[in-house]
Amino acid sequence: TYQRDGVQAKTGVDVSFYQKEIDWQAVAADGIDFAIIRVGYRGYTEGGLILDKCFEQNIQGALDAGLEVGVYFFSQAISPEEAREEAAYVLEQLEGYEVTYPVVFDWEYITSGEGARTEGMDGETLTQCALAFCEEIRQGGYAPMVYFNQDMGYLTYDLREFTDLALWLAEYDERPDFYYHFDLWQYTHTGTVAGIEGNVDLNLDLR
């Protein structure tokens, strides 16, 4: 929990098809205020854009349950041009949905398996990819956000370029100790929530 100026921080989940069938009414009844739903991802070897199998049922279910909804895209862009392509893909999928939470650029290094097309990606290029994605999202009428863990925040991204962007930190601890500002905190990947089978990521909105 987190409280500032007498206001309690909102609690949210982020989900993808890995959570399987979700009872969104039960999720809302268990004190969850918002959901950030995976739209899709770019394949890490072939590079194609792929829709999350549960995106449509998840976003509609969360909205029907009265939750505030944002989305994220699991990027494997290797150039700003590819990042803009991903953003355009996301904007197309969001047509007709009431998205009031951020649209998130989530880029992560592939550590398992071989043949990742992103191998050797440098921080300068990745920073430019994030900026390109977020600019397209902003022009599309949504609030952009960048997701990262502490290692990427300190060692990969140039956070000086993100001063006008909302940031989502993944740090699994009792309290965060990341030195710089962030807006959403993903504080565990082993949370439990009614209506979701197994573990789920839990987040606090610190804005």
Side-chain angles (χ1 to χ4, degrees), residues 15-18 20-21 37-41 50-59 89:
V15 300
S16 69
F17 85 98
Y18 291 110
K20 303 176 183 177
E21 192 79 20
I37 293 161
R38 187 172 76 163
V39 176
Y41 59 97
I50 304 166
L51 186 71
D52 186 288
K53 294 177 182 177
C54 294
F55 168 66
E56 293 175 347
Q57 69 187 58
N58 276 338
I59 191 169
Y89 179 81

Side-chain angles (χ1 to χ4, degrees), residues 22-32 61 65 67 192-197:
I22 295 175
D23 181 343
W24 284 104
Q25 296 294 333
V27 171
D30 199 23
I32 298 300
L67 297 181
T192 56
V193 173
I196 300 178
E197 181 180 348

Side-chain angles (χ1 to χ4, degrees), residues 12-15 34-38 70-73 102-106 108 144-150 157 162 165-172 178 181-187 201-205:
V13 295
D14 60 273
V15 300
F34 67 91
I36 301 180
I37 293 161
R38 187 172 76 163
V71 300
Y72 74 96
F73 186 85
V103 176
V104 183
F105 180 78
D106 172 13
E108 300 175 32
M145 176 176 274
V146 180
Y147 170 93
F148 56 83
N149 59 20
Q150 280 190 298
Y157 281 124
F162 294 168
L165 291 174
L167 303 178
W168 181 10
L169 173 70
E171 182 184 343
Y172 305 146
F178 188 66
H181 173 82
F182 55 95
D183 301 277
L184 262 60
W185 175 32
Q186 184 185 81
Y187 63 88
D201 299 337
L202 292 177
N203 306 270
L204 289 178
D205 184 349

Side-chain angles (χ1 to χ4, degrees), residues 131-179:
L131 290 171
F133 179 97
C134 289
E135 181 57 31
E136 291 293 317
I137 294 301
R138 181 179 281 121
Q139 290 184 8
Y142 298 93
M145 176 176 274
V146 180
Y147 170 93
F148 56 83
N149 59 20
Q150 280 190 298
D151 283 349
M152 292 192 70
Y154 286 136
L155 304 176
T156 306
Y157 281 124
D158 183 355
L159 296 183
R160 293 172 298 182
E161 299 287 341
F162 294 168
T163 53
D164 64 341
L165 291 174
L167 303 178
W168 181 10
L169 173 70
E171 182 184 343
Y172 305 146
D173 209 339
E174 289 187 359
R175 64 177 60 204
D177 62 6
F178 188 66
Y179 184 79

Side-chain angles (χ1 to χ4, degrees), residues 33-149:
D33 303 299
F34 67 91
I36 301 180
I37 293 161
R38 187 172 76 163
V39 176
Y41 59 97
R42 185 185 287 276
Y44 76 88
T45 56
E46 301 297 326
L49 303 182
I50 304 166
L51 186 71
D52 186 288
K53 294 177 182 177
C54 294
F55 168 66
E56 293 175 347
Q57 69 187 58
N58 276 338
I59 191 169
Q60 193 60 61
L63 289 168
D64 289 346
L67 297 181
E68 294 191 75
V69 171
V71 300
Y72 74 96
F73 186 85
F74 187 88
S75 172
Q76 288 288 281
I78 57 176
S79 68
E81 291 74 23
E82 285 195 352
R84 282 189 282 269
E85 179 189 24
E86 293 172 353
Y89 179 81
V90 170
L91 292 172
E92 182 181 352
Q93 306 309 318
L94 293 184
E95 290 184 9
Y97 295 111
E98 185 67 23
V99 174
T100 56
Y101 256 62
V103 176
V104 183
F105 180 78
D106 172 13
W107 197 104
E108 300 175 32
Y109 285 104
I110 301 299
T111 57
S112 60
E114 297 180 355
R117 60 199 293 277
T118 52
E119 188 172 346
M121 186 75 164
D122 64 278
E124 181 179 352
T125 303
L126 182 53
T127 297
Q128 294 306 311
C129 287
L131 290 171
F133 179 97
C134 289
E135 181 57 31
E136 291 293 317
I137 294 301
R138 181 179 281 121
Q139 290 184 8
Y142 298 93
M145 176 176 274
V146 180
Y147 170 93
F148 56 83
N149 59 20

